[in-house]
Amino acid sequence: MANLMPKKVLCVCLGNICRSPTAEAVLRHFFMQNHLDIFVDSAGTAAYHIGEAPDHRSQKHAGQRGYDLSALRARQLKVQDFTEFDLILAMDHQNLKEIEKLHQHAKQQFSADACKAKIVMMTAQDPLRHNQAIADPYYGDAADFELVIDHCEAASQAWIDTFSKLTKS
Ligand code: 4NP
């Protein structure tokens, strides 16, 4: 559980071309709408798509809801991310395992104290989908890409609710 307001949040999936760039754009939009000055980025645990723009299907469906993914480029999660980011949000449970594995390497390379990032599921605060995966749409159809956006919006609203309570306490 994030009990402090993060300054930097990193959304992580496998390829960084479908779910995490969508989560990045949605979360950034929700933070801006709610006047929360929080930096958002995204990365993938795998190297397959480094340097690529988000999948054209993610761009299309997100674009229809007003989220512009066109400027985003895929990158791989790296050990420095654990010192730089306060909160790392995994899209599914395999991502979470891979993030935690790299976290161990980061702690060896730097120190446990320096690797301050909290690692939780994107849906950790969502009362309807608490800690459930945001399903990989890569081999799916249009409805799967729509669901990713639905779930990112619900999860983002839940983070807003969580952080809003912190500012009031
Ligand atoms: P993402 O989706 O992890 O949401 O970006 C995927 C993108 C690419 C692949 C799998 C999932 N792939 O196998 O290349």
PDB file of all heavy atoms in Angstrom, residues 13-19 48-49 136-139, ligand 1:
ATOM      1  N   CYS A  13       4.123  -3.232 -17.960  1.00  0.00           N
ATOM      2  CA  CYS A  13       3.525  -4.457 -18.503  1.00  0.00           C
ATOM      3  C   CYS A  13       4.638  -5.278 -19.154  1.00  0.00           C
ATOM      4  O   CYS A  13       5.816  -5.099 -18.822  1.00  0.00           O
ATOM      5  CB  CYS A  13       2.385  -4.131 -19.468  1.00  0.00           C
ATOM      6  SG  CYS A  13       2.893  -3.240 -20.955  1.00  0.00           S
ATOM      7  N   LEU A  14       4.284  -6.146 -20.077  1.00  0.00           N
ATOM      8  CA  LEU A  14       5.299  -6.990 -20.722  1.00  0.00           C
ATOM      9  C   LEU A  14       6.023  -6.224 -21.841  1.00  0.00           C
ATOM     10  O   LEU A  14       7.239  -6.060 -21.813  1.00  0.00           O
ATOM     11  CB  LEU A  14       4.621  -8.255 -21.271  1.00  0.00           C
ATOM     12  CG  LEU A  14       5.497  -9.210 -22.083  1.00  0.00           C
ATOM     13  CD1 LEU A  14       6.596  -9.813 -21.211  1.00  0.00           C
ATOM     14  CD2 LEU A  14       4.633 -10.327 -22.685  1.00  0.00           C
ATOM     15  N   GLY A  15       5.269  -5.752 -22.815  1.00  0.00           N
ATOM     16  CA  GLY A  15       5.893  -5.182 -24.013  1.00  0.00           C
ATOM     17  C   GLY A  15       6.011  -3.673 -24.040  1.00  0.00           C
ATOM     18  O   GLY A  15       6.710  -3.116 -24.878  1.00  0.00           O
ATOM     19  N   ASN A  16       5.281  -2.996 -23.145  1.00  0.00           N
ATOM     20  CA  ASN A  16       5.201  -1.522 -23.121  1.00  0.00           C
ATOM     21  C   ASN A  16       4.660  -0.951 -24.436  1.00  0.00           C
ATOM     22  O   ASN A  16       5.041   0.147 -24.850  1.00  0.00           O
ATOM     23  CB  ASN A  16       6.559  -0.892 -22.759  1.00  0.00           C
ATOM     24  CG  ASN A  16       6.511   0.588 -22.392  1.00  0.00           C
ATOM     25  OD1 ASN A  16       7.471   1.327 -22.589  1.00  0.00           O
ATOM     26  ND2 ASN A  16       5.399   1.041 -21.854  1.00  0.00           N
ATOM     27  N   ILE A  17       3.774  -1.726 -25.081  1.00  0.00           N
ATOM     28  CA  ILE A  17       3.124  -1.174 -26.285  1.00  0.00           C
ATOM     29  C   ILE A  17       1.590  -1.210 -26.202  1.00  0.00           C
ATOM     30  O   ILE A  17       0.934  -0.602 -27.045  1.00  0.00           O
ATOM     31  CB  ILE A  17       3.600  -1.863 -27.586  1.00  0.00           C
ATOM     32  CG1 ILE A  17       3.380  -3.367 -27.520  1.00  0.00           C
ATOM     33  CG2 ILE A  17       5.050  -1.506 -27.898  1.00  0.00           C
ATOM     34  CD1 ILE A  17       3.513  -4.043 -28.888  1.00  0.00           C
ATOM     35  N   CYS A  18       1.028  -1.935 -25.230  1.00  0.00           N
ATOM     36  CA  CYS A  18      -0.443  -1.984 -25.121  1.00  0.00           C
ATOM     37  C   CYS A  18      -0.927  -1.440 -23.766  1.00  0.00           C
ATOM     38  O   CYS A  18      -1.427  -0.320 -23.683  1.00  0.00           O
ATOM     39  CB  CYS A  18      -0.974  -3.405 -25.321  1.00  0.00           C
ATOM     40  SG  CYS A  18      -0.629  -4.103 -26.959  1.00  0.00           S
ATOM     41  N   ARG A  19      -0.767  -2.242 -22.710  1.00  0.00           N
ATOM     42  CA  ARG A  19      -1.382  -1.874 -21.429  1.00  0.00           C
ATOM     43  C   ARG A  19      -0.683  -0.725 -20.716  1.00  0.00           C
ATOM     44  O   ARG A  19      -1.342   0.237 -20.294  1.00  0.00           O
ATOM     45  CB  ARG A  19      -1.434  -3.102 -20.504  1.00  0.00           C
ATOM     46  CG  ARG A  19      -2.403  -4.156 -20.971  1.00  0.00           C
ATOM     47  CD  ARG A  19      -2.171  -5.462 -20.247  1.00  0.00           C
ATOM     48  NE  ARG A  19      -0.881  -6.045 -20.603  1.00  0.00           N
ATOM     49  CZ  ARG A  19      -0.357  -7.112 -20.061  1.00  0.00           C
ATOM     50  NH1 ARG A  19      -0.998  -7.723 -19.076  1.00  0.00           N
ATOM     51  NH2 ARG A  19       0.814  -7.582 -20.461  1.00  0.00           N
ATOM     52  N   TYR A  48      11.303  -6.861 -26.352  1.00  0.00           N
ATOM     53  CA  TYR A  48      10.843  -7.076 -27.739  1.00  0.00           C
ATOM     54  C   TYR A  48      10.564  -5.799 -28.525  1.00  0.00           C
ATOM     55  O   TYR A  48      10.740  -5.773 -29.740  1.00  0.00           O
ATOM     56  CB  TYR A  48       9.513  -7.846 -27.804  1.00  0.00           C
ATOM     57  CG  TYR A  48       9.309  -9.003 -26.883  1.00  0.00           C
ATOM     58  CD1 TYR A  48       8.107  -9.120 -26.173  1.00  0.00           C
ATOM     59  CD2 TYR A  48      10.260 -10.007 -26.753  1.00  0.00           C
ATOM     60  CE1 TYR A  48       7.872 -10.203 -25.335  1.00  0.00           C
ATOM     61  CE2 TYR A  48      10.022 -11.088 -25.904  1.00  0.00           C
ATOM     62  CZ  TYR A  48       8.844 -11.176 -25.197  1.00  0.00           C
ATOM     63  OH  TYR A  48       8.605 -12.223 -24.371  1.00  0.00           O
ATOM     64  N   HIS A  49      10.019  -4.792 -27.892  1.00  0.00           N
ATOM     65  CA  HIS A  49       9.473  -3.662 -28.656  1.00  0.00           C
ATOM     66  C   HIS A  49      10.155  -2.329 -28.353  1.00  0.00           C
ATOM     67  O   HIS A  49       9.582  -1.271 -28.631  1.00  0.00           O
ATOM     68  CB  HIS A  49       7.968  -3.543 -28.383  1.00  0.00           C
ATOM     69  CG  HIS A  49       7.202  -4.749 -28.832  1.00  0.00           C
ATOM     70  ND1 HIS A  49       6.914  -5.000 -30.154  1.00  0.00           N
ATOM     71  CD2 HIS A  49       6.720  -5.805 -28.130  1.00  0.00           C
ATOM     72  CE1 HIS A  49       6.259  -6.151 -30.259  1.00  0.00           C
ATOM     73  NE2 HIS A  49       6.132  -6.660 -29.035  1.00  0.00           N
ATOM     74  N   ASP A 136      -3.909  -9.007 -20.903  1.00  0.00           N
ATOM     75  CA  ASP A 136      -3.105  -8.711 -22.088  1.00  0.00           C
ATOM     76  C   ASP A 136      -3.996  -8.771 -23.340  1.00  0.00           C
ATOM     77  O   ASP A 136      -4.558  -9.819 -23.660  1.00  0.00           O
ATOM     78  CB  ASP A 136      -2.000  -9.775 -22.167  1.00  0.00           C
ATOM     79  CG  ASP A 136      -1.051  -9.543 -23.329  1.00  0.00           C
ATOM     80  OD1 ASP A 136      -1.319  -8.653 -24.155  1.00  0.00           O
ATOM     81  OD2 ASP A 136      -0.050 -10.270 -23.392  1.00  0.00           O
ATOM     82  N   PRO A 137      -4.135  -7.662 -24.083  1.00  0.00           N
ATOM     83  CA  PRO A 137      -5.031  -7.655 -25.252  1.00  0.00           C
ATOM     84  C   PRO A 137      -4.322  -8.015 -26.558  1.00  0.00           C
ATOM     85  O   PRO A 137      -4.953  -8.036 -27.612  1.00  0.00           O
ATOM     86  CB  PRO A 137      -5.464  -6.183 -25.305  1.00  0.00           C
ATOM     87  CG  PRO A 137      -4.215  -5.447 -24.882  1.00  0.00           C
ATOM     88  CD  PRO A 137      -3.530  -6.327 -23.847  1.00  0.00           C
ATOM     89  N   TYR A 138      -2.997  -8.276 -26.495  1.00  0.00           N
ATOM     90  CA  TYR A 138      -2.172  -8.341 -27.718  1.00  0.00           C
ATOM     91  C   TYR A 138      -2.723  -9.327 -28.750  1.00  0.00           C
ATOM     92  O   TYR A 138      -2.728  -9.039 -29.938  1.00  0.00           O
ATOM     93  CB  TYR A 138      -0.733  -8.707 -27.338  1.00  0.00           C
ATOM     94  CG  TYR A 138       0.271  -8.538 -28.448  1.00  0.00           C
ATOM     95  CD1 TYR A 138       0.584  -7.274 -28.961  1.00  0.00           C
ATOM     96  CD2 TYR A 138       0.944  -9.638 -28.986  1.00  0.00           C
ATOM     97  CE1 TYR A 138       1.519  -7.114 -29.973  1.00  0.00           C
ATOM     98  CE2 TYR A 138       1.882  -9.485 -30.005  1.00  0.00           C
ATOM     99  CZ  TYR A 138       2.164  -8.220 -30.486  1.00  0.00           C
ATOM    100  OH  TYR A 138       3.096  -8.066 -31.488  1.00  0.00           O
ATOM    101  N   TYR A 139      -3.177 -10.506 -28.290  1.00  0.00           N
ATOM    102  CA  TYR A 139      -3.737 -11.494 -29.226  1.00  0.00           C
ATOM    103  C   TYR A 139      -5.267 -11.457 -29.224  1.00  0.00           C
ATOM    104  O   TYR A 139      -5.922 -12.385 -29.699  1.00  0.00           O
ATOM    105  CB  TYR A 139      -3.209 -12.896 -28.879  1.00  0.00           C
ATOM    106  CG  TYR A 139      -1.715 -13.007 -29.095  1.00  0.00           C
ATOM    107  CD1 TYR A 139      -0.836 -13.017 -28.012  1.00  0.00           C
ATOM    108  CD2 TYR A 139      -1.182 -13.046 -30.381  1.00  0.00           C
ATOM    109  CE1 TYR A 139       0.541 -13.084 -28.214  1.00  0.00           C
ATOM    110  CE2 TYR A 139       0.189 -13.108 -30.593  1.00  0.00           C
ATOM    111  CZ  TYR A 139       1.042 -13.126 -29.504  1.00  0.00           C
ATOM    112  OH  TYR A 139       2.404 -13.177 -29.707  1.00  0.00           O
TER     113      TYR A 139
HETATM  114  P1  4NP B   1       1.615  -5.338 -23.392  1.00  0.00           P
HETATM  115  O1  4NP B   1       1.130  -6.355 -24.537  1.00  0.00           O
HETATM  116  O2  4NP B   1       2.461  -6.152 -22.428  1.00  0.00           O
HETATM  117  O3  4NP B   1       0.353  -4.869 -22.798  1.00  0.00           O
HETATM  118  O4  4NP B   1       2.413  -4.252 -24.095  1.00  0.00           O
HETATM  119  C1  4NP B   1       1.984  -7.178 -25.256  1.00  0.00           C
HETATM  120  C2  4NP B   1       2.751  -6.655 -26.268  1.00  0.00           C
HETATM  121  C3  4NP B   1       3.566  -7.486 -27.015  1.00  0.00           C
HETATM  122  C4  4NP B   1       3.613  -8.843 -26.748  1.00  0.00           C
HETATM  123  C5  4NP B   1       2.836  -9.363 -25.718  1.00  0.00           C
HETATM  124  C6  4NP B   1       2.039  -8.536 -24.972  1.00  0.00           C
HETATM  125  N1  4NP B   1       4.424  -9.684 -27.536  1.00  0.00           N
HETATM  126  O5  4NP B   1       4.381 -10.915 -27.321  1.00  0.00           O
HETATM  127  O6  4NP B   1       5.163  -9.192 -28.403  1.00  0.00           O
END
